Amino acid sequence: MPTECSAEHFDFGTVEGRAVEAAFDGGLVSSDAGALLLGATDRAIGLIDRFAACFHDERREDLIEHEVATLVGQRVFGIALGYEDLNDHDELRHDPLMAVLAGKLAARREDCAPVAGKSTLNRLELSKLEPTRYHKISHNPMAIKNLLVDLFVEAHARPPKQIILDLDATDDPLHGEQEGRFFHGYYDCYCYLPLYVFCGRHLLVAKLRSADMDAAAGAVEEVARVIARIRARWPRTRILLRADSGFAREDLMAWCEGNGVDFLFGLSRNERLVAEIATELDLVAAKSRRSGRPERRFKTFMWTTRRTWSRRRRVVAKAEWTKGEANPRFVVTSLRRDECKAKYLYEKVYCARGEMENRIKECQLDLYADRTSAATMRANQLRLWFYSMAYVLLCALRRIGLRDTDFANATCGTIRLKLLKIGALVRVSVRRIRIAMASACPAAQAWGRAAIRLAIAAIARASPA
């Protein structure tokens, strides 16, 4: 039981005759020593400097305490470490690990810390497309969007034969009067409707949109930009677009057909589609009643809408009977029958798009991509890009440093908890900065292996063959 406490000293009883005491007098101690892996990952892929290059700084050089690269890196590293709120940085600016990551142990001015506080970072997030008197740092949205694609391409040692780009829209609930705030009936809340494009675990697009539009709004423009940039590097790679029925739109399918891109989209069912598989539904219903188990059959046919489609397209139907009722599903695709049979197309190719939902959850739950509380959509879009870059950084750590380990498929949240949140004592001398991490860290072996792999990757990037 506690016996006596003061502002500087705390007693927590005794253990085997020894007094248990606590005090905040450990000196330079950090709870984020594992963040050294984030710095090593950045050196391996060159994310922070290139992201900072997407900003333009018109501040007076003789008055600058924190360079743009310091501000950008501090924000991205902070998000990856779990500090989604700018207010956190008023304390983090004194953290020795943040100073190490910034490569700056001391400020030039006595009234400053090595890294920036909340007000300076807030001005960065509120930067406009052109510098102004009060916001002298501006940003280039197209450069940021292209950087996400470039990082994806560079993550591959050689061009793949085929890639699948997953598209999806999700809700970003709003709790204030932000610009672009609309009520969305499906999600039953006021929200934004961001568009995401992933290729496996790689994030290529994070576009903030208001919720008063179709799920596929702007998809053609984003897909065209992304694919043009990919094909400039991988001209022979086959590309397949995959999405749910919200993206089965004439303009997107026509663009794919006109540009040599395959597609596989869900298709909303209607009476005409269900009528096409009436016989199959009767067969699976009878079989299910006999077996007592769910039954399904697949059928391929050519189909078109009465007004919206410009041509007939291949539709694959799943005629399923489960829980005593019909459960028909449909997809539309450009893939031919001889390339992909109906059952495999639906069960193995289309259903795999559900994995993208886990990627969006990582972005929103682990990396706070739904914290869009700024007043303008421009500022919230920039916030979304900061969250996205933190995701890309952690994915690179997982891909390069943690392959073939217990964390090879871990979520961003698990990586943060097990490998980044490590307590350490920081000792700064004339010759070195020694970071003494907890000896009892359960993930020490995986951490050390990741550090070595990231160092090798950084050397390889610095001196390409």
Side-chain angles (χ1 to χ4, degrees), residues 57 59 75 80 94 166 186 255 260 280 316 322 324 359 420:
D57 189 359
R59 296 175 295 172
R75 187 69 170 116
H94 302 292
D166 286 307
Y186 178 81
W255 183 90
E280 287 73 17
V316 170
T322 180
R359 307 287 77 77
L420 304 184

Side-chain angles (χ1 to χ4, degrees), residues 298 339-351:
F298 293 89
E339 292 180 303
C340 204
K341 302 299 182 182
K343 179 180 174 66
Y344 183 88
L345 179 76
Y346 187 89
E347 293 185 338
K348 301 299 183 182
V349 183
Y350 178 73
C351 288

Side-chain angles (χ1 to χ4, degrees), residues 405-444:
T405 71
D406 293 341
F407 300 99
N409 295 310
T411 64
C412 293
T414 298
I415 291 172
R416 175 195 300 140
L417 179 64
K418 301 293 186 179
L419 296 169
L420 304 184
K421 291 294 184 180
I422 300 175
L425 178 64
V426 182
R427 301 186 183 96
V428 181
S429 66
V430 175
R431 295 182 178 273
R432 62 174 56 88
I433 303 168
R434 180 165 179 80
I435 299 168
M437 292 181 282
S439 301
C441 177

Side-chain angles (χ1 to χ4, degrees), residues 77-131:
F77 292 142
I79 293 169
L81 288 169
Y83 302 107
E84 77 274 21
D85 196 332
L86 287 179
N87 291 333
D88 296 326
H89 288 270
D90 260 15
E91 297 298 329
L92 282 177
R93 60 180 174 163
H94 302 292
D95 187 279
L97 257 297
M98 294 301 292
V100 169
L101 291 175
K104 179 185 175 188
L105 294 180
R108 291 188 291 271
R109 303 206 309 254
E110 292 184 0
D111 59 339
C112 289
V115 292
K118 63 180 181 181
S119 299
T120 305
L121 291 172
N122 187 53
R123 285 192 292 273
L124 176 70
E125 287 197 349
L126 296 179
S127 68
K128 302 181 183 296
L129 304 184
E130 296 291 338

